[in-house]
Amino acid sequence: MDTTDRSILSILQREARISFAELGRRVGLSTNAAAARVRRLEAADIILGYRAVLAEEEPEPGAGLQAFVDVRLKPEADSRSFLAWAQGNPAVRDAVHVTGPYDYLLNVRVPGMPALDALLHQLKTESGAMQTQTRLALR
């Protein structure tokens, strides 16, 4: 499984009914290549099924933690790859390229501190981030 597969899985977890054309557009593949990847993930039992999420299952609006994460990329990191990683991560609500000592500012929402800790670990091990600075939103 590569980063494209992880991006596909992340998108499908949020939007299981997305078309293969739109999925492919978001991850940089053709419609047929995106469909083939999804079928391969299904055949490998990585995707086990799809489900409807009912309103009562959704957390209340504003539940969890909202944070802003400044990200400085490693010198050898590719900005486009980082942005694709961020857009494929369900916790990342927005990623903007900024001026100053950091390269990106992420707006993230996570269920709680353990999820924020896991996200920061992913940032440093998977996305090309060299340094982060996190601020929690109080309201």
Side-chain angles (χ1 to χ4, degrees):
M1 183 160 25
D2 61 13
T3 56
T4 301
D5 287 337
R6 284 191 283 280
S7 293
I8 287 171
L9 292 173
S10 178
I11 292 167
L12 289 175
Q13 284 180 303
R14 291 187 318 269
E15 305 172 62
R17 293 181 54 136
I18 190 171
S19 70
F20 289 134
E22 177 62 15
L23 181 63
R25 187 190 67 73
R26 290 192 196 175
V27 298
L29 296 174
S30 69
T31 301
N32 290 339
R37 291 251 188 164
V38 170
R39 288 186 191 103
R40 184 176 49 78
L41 292 166
E42 291 169 340
D45 288 333
I46 293 169
I47 297 175
L48 298 178
Y50 302 89
R51 69 183 186 101
V53 177
L54 305 179
E56 63 211 35
E57 295 175 355
E58 279 294 297
E60 292 181 30
L65 296 174
Q66 181 177 9
F68 298 93
V69 182
D70 293 306
V71 178
R72 181 177 293 136
L73 297 178
K74 295 175 185 173
E76 69 276 7
D78 177 58
S79 187
R80 284 176 287 189
S81 296
F82 173 79
L83 195 53
W85 179 90
Q87 290 171 338
N89 191 302
V92 178
R93 299 172 76 184
D94 195 16
V96 293
H97 193 218
V98 294
T99 62
Y102 291 93
D103 299 303
Y104 282 90
L105 173 63
L106 304 182
N107 178 353
V108 303
R109 180 166 295 279
V110 292
M113 280 298 198
L116 180 59
D117 183 49
L119 177 65
L120 294 173
H121 179 74
Q122 281 183 314
L123 267 166
K124 292 175 182 170
T125 59
E126 297 175 9
S127 75
M130 175 176 71
Q131 181 181 8
T132 63
Q133 174 178 291
T134 305
R135 290 167 283 154
L136 296 178
L138 299 177
R139 26 180 172 151

